[in-house]
């Protein structure tokens, strides 16, 4: 595995691999990921409350989500390049968690929409830095043969947030106020920063503490393959349907209540996919990612025909969640392998393209909704997953090589 490979100039002391997995630190990072995704999604669930309290239209409150994503696109790569080598990885992670906490405090105290947008800009910057630095940091604090398993633990926070984080925050907002929901998130962030200080180990990567080279990373054929197949196609496909799952279910004849249930099904099922990926990402990465993308394509392609019943819809959505949860882990490990000594820059590239994939997915889904109708939106989502599958199969030697338990040809 290329992940964690030292530079030729490194000394033996600098290249020594960690001997065991710091489980406590990984759980703290998973909780940080949970907090970040919940922070990103929460305004959508509390939109009516925020609108009434700040005295603005609901459409204007939607800007709290839009500016959050936009600032990630414009700041993730420049900041990761500037801070690499200047700030220790552990210190940077703790600072980003504290920035999340401060952002949520400022949002909870915002008297106007303008102040709220400013608070969200800070949160978006922290979000981009968290995901730019988290995966490379994990690759440095665990043994090279356990990177996939460690990624599965850390990125489980994403799926848990999708399944229960935003709904719990929304419920808190209905029981208390929207401001109280964000203050609670801020308190969680402050607690995680303290735990991170005690539980996160230092990253053993002194020799590689130099400015990440995006140009050098993009010259690696594997990086381009993963950066296109994962964020710009698979995430695009996921959010094509995820964004418009409600009109699809209604057009299929299911009641409105099926929407919230289906989103929880996808989120919970993705935890199963993450667990499977944790067991296979290090030993059989190529066969596993191909199988997951095939299942994802089939789930999307079959939903228009079989999604008109509770059994058919939720069986395929379970398959969707499992496949998508696994795909994220396989591709996160793949970008770190493909990036080699430039893995920080390669990972930063995917942080940006993930946001682009989400945004384009929503636009593409809207186009499909208006042109072919709600019931065929899943079929539209199957097209980019099929293209991603072709790229993955073709990138045998670059982005998606065989693992130690797979036959190499």
């Amino acid at each position: 595995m290329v992940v964690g490979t030292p530079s030729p100039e490194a000394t033996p002391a600098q290249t020594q691999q960690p001997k065991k997995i710091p489980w406590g630190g990984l759980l703290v990072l998973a909780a940080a990921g949970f907090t970040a995704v919940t922070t990103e999604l929460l305004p959508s669930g509390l939109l009516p409350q925020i609108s009434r309290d700040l005295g603005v239209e609901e459409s204007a409150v939607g800007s709290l989500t839009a500016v959050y994503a936009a600032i990630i696109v414009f700041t993730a790569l420049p900041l990761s390049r500037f801070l690499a080598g200047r700030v220790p990885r552990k210190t940077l992670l703790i600072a980003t968690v504290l920035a999340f906490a401060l952002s949520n405090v400022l949002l909870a105290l915002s008297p106007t929409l303008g102040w709220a947008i400013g608070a969200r800009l800070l949160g978006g910057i922290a979000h981009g830095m968290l995901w730019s630095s988290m995966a490379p940091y994990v690759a440095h604090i665990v043994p090279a043969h356990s990177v996939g398993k460690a990624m599965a633990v850390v990125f489980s926070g994403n799926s848990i947030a999708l399944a229960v984080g935003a709904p719990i925050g929304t419920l808190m907002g209905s029981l208390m106020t929207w401001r109280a929901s964000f203050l609670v998130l801020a308190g969680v962030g402050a607690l995680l920063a303290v735990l991170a200080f005690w539980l996160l180990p230092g990253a053993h990567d002194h020799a590689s503490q130099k400015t990440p080279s995006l140009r050098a990373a993009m010259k690696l054929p594997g990086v381009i393959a993963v950066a296109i197949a994962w964020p710009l196609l698979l995430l695009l496909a996921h959010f094509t349907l995820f964004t418009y799952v409600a009109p699809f279910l209604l057009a299929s004849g299911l009641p409105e209540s099926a929407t919230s249930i289906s989103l929880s099904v996808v989120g919970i099922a993705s935890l199963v996919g993450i667990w499977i990926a944790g067991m296979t990402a290090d030993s059989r990465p190529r066969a596993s990612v191909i199988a997951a993308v095939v299942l994802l394509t089939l789930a999307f392609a079959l939903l228009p025909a079989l999604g008109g019943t509770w059994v058919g819809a939720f069986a395929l959505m379970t398959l969707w969640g499992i496949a998508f949860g696994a795909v994220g882990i396989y591709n996160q490990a793949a970008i770190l392998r493909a990036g080699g000594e430039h893995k920080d820059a390669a990972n930063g590239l995917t942080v940006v393209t993930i946001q682009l994939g989400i945004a384009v997915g929503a636009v593409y889904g809207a186009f499909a909704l208006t042109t072919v109708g709600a019931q065929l939106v899943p079929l539209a989502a199957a097209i980019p997953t099929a293209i991603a599958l072709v790229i993955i199969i073709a990138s045998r030697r670059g982005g998606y090589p065989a693992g130690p338990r797979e036959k190499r040809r």
Side-chain angles (χ1 to χ4, degrees):
M1 182 174 286
V2 181
V3 173
T5 301
S7 63
E9 298 79 13
T11 66
Q14 292 169 333
T15 62
Q16 185 177 6
Q17 286 287 335
K19 294 183 179 179
K20 58 184 180 179
I21 300 176
W23 292 110
L26 295 183
L27 290 175
V28 169
L29 293 178
F34 172 91
T35 304
V37 174
T38 302
T39 295
E40 182 176 22
L41 299 176
L42 193 54
S44 299
L46 299 175
L47 190 144
Q49 285 192 33
I50 299 174
S51 172
R52 289 193 301 270
D53 192 16
L54 296 181
V56 296
E57 296 291 331
E58 291 187 356
S59 58
V61 178
S63 62
L64 296 181
T65 299
V67 298
Y68 192 96
I71 198 66
I72 294 172
V73 172
F74 289 107
T75 62
L77 279 174
L79 280 177
S80 62
R81 280 177 54 83
F82 176 76
L83 294 174
R86 294 181 172 87
V87 180
R89 295 180 189 273
K90 176 179 175 178
T91 302
L92 182 59
L93 282 168
I94 294 173
T96 59
V97 174
L98 287 173
F100 270 119
L102 177 59
S103 168
N104 286 326
V105 169
L106 293 176
L107 181 58
L109 300 178
S110 295
T112 65
L113 181 62
W115 281 96
I117 289 174
R120 291 290 284 179
L121 288 173
L122 175 61
I125 293 170
H127 190 108
M129 286 309 304
L130 180 70
W131 296 116
S132 295
S133 56
M134 186 184 290
Y137 171 79
V138 171
H140 285 296
I141 65 170
V142 302
H145 59 81
S146 299
V147 169
K149 183 184 296 183
M151 293 295 178
V153 172
V154 170
F155 285 87
S156 64
N158 294 34
S159 293
I160 295 173
L162 287 171
V164 300
I168 287 177
T170 304
L171 177 63
M172 287 169 49
S174 64
L175 295 176
M176 298 179 288
T177 65
W178 70 270
R179 297 180 186 274
S181 296
F182 285 102
L183 285 175
V184 169
L185 272 181
V188 171
L191 175 60
L192 288 175
V194 174
L195 292 175
F197 178 81
W198 290 105
L199 295 176
L200 291 183
H204 305 286
D205 63 337
H206 306 291
S208 63
Q209 286 290 297
K210 56 185 179 181
T211 302
S213 174
L214 180 60
R215 180 179 300 177
M218 293 182 69
K219 288 181 180 179
L220 301 172
V223 169
I224 296 298
V226 179
I228 292 175
W230 177 24
L232 291 181
L233 290 174
L234 294 173
L235 272 163
L236 183 155
H238 173 77
F239 279 93
T240 294
L241 181 54
F242 193 83
T243 306
Y244 299 101
V245 68
F248 162 71
L249 292 171
L250 290 173
S252 299
L254 295 179
E256 188 174 340
S257 60
T259 300
S260 59
I261 299 173
S262 67
L263 294 179
S264 293
V265 166
V266 172
I268 293 170
S270 68
L271 295 176
V272 178
I274 288 173
W275 177 78
I276 294 172
M279 303 293 289
T280 56
D282 296 313
S283 58
R284 305 179 188 275
R286 179 170 173 80
S288 299
V289 71
I290 289 174
V293 177
V294 167
L295 291 177
L296 189 62
T297 305
L298 287 174
F300 288 157
L302 293 175
L303 268 169
L306 304 178
T309 66
W310 284 94
V311 173
F314 291 121
L316 290 173
M317 287 186 174
T318 299
L319 186 61
W320 169 16
I322 292 173
F324 185 72
V327 158
I329 302 303
Y330 295 137
N331 279 283
Q332 183 65 72
I335 195 65
L336 294 176
R337 283 194 300 267
E341 65 176 334
H342 302 292
K343 57 180 168 286
D344 288 57
N347 186 72
L349 174 65
T350 61
V351 171
V352 173
T353 52
I354 280 171
Q355 296 300 320
L356 291 175
I358 293 171
V360 174
V363 174
Y364 174 59
F367 175 77
L369 186 68
T370 57
T371 55
V372 300
Q375 203 161 0
L376 293 181
V377 168
L379 195 58
I383 296 173
T385 61
I387 298 173
L389 180 61
V390 172
I391 294 174
I392 291 169
I393 292 174
S395 186
R396 175 183 294 275
R397 299 185 181 277
Y400 299 94
R405 294 189 183 180
E406 297 174 300
K407 292 183 179 179
R408 298 178 183 270
R409 298 178 182 176

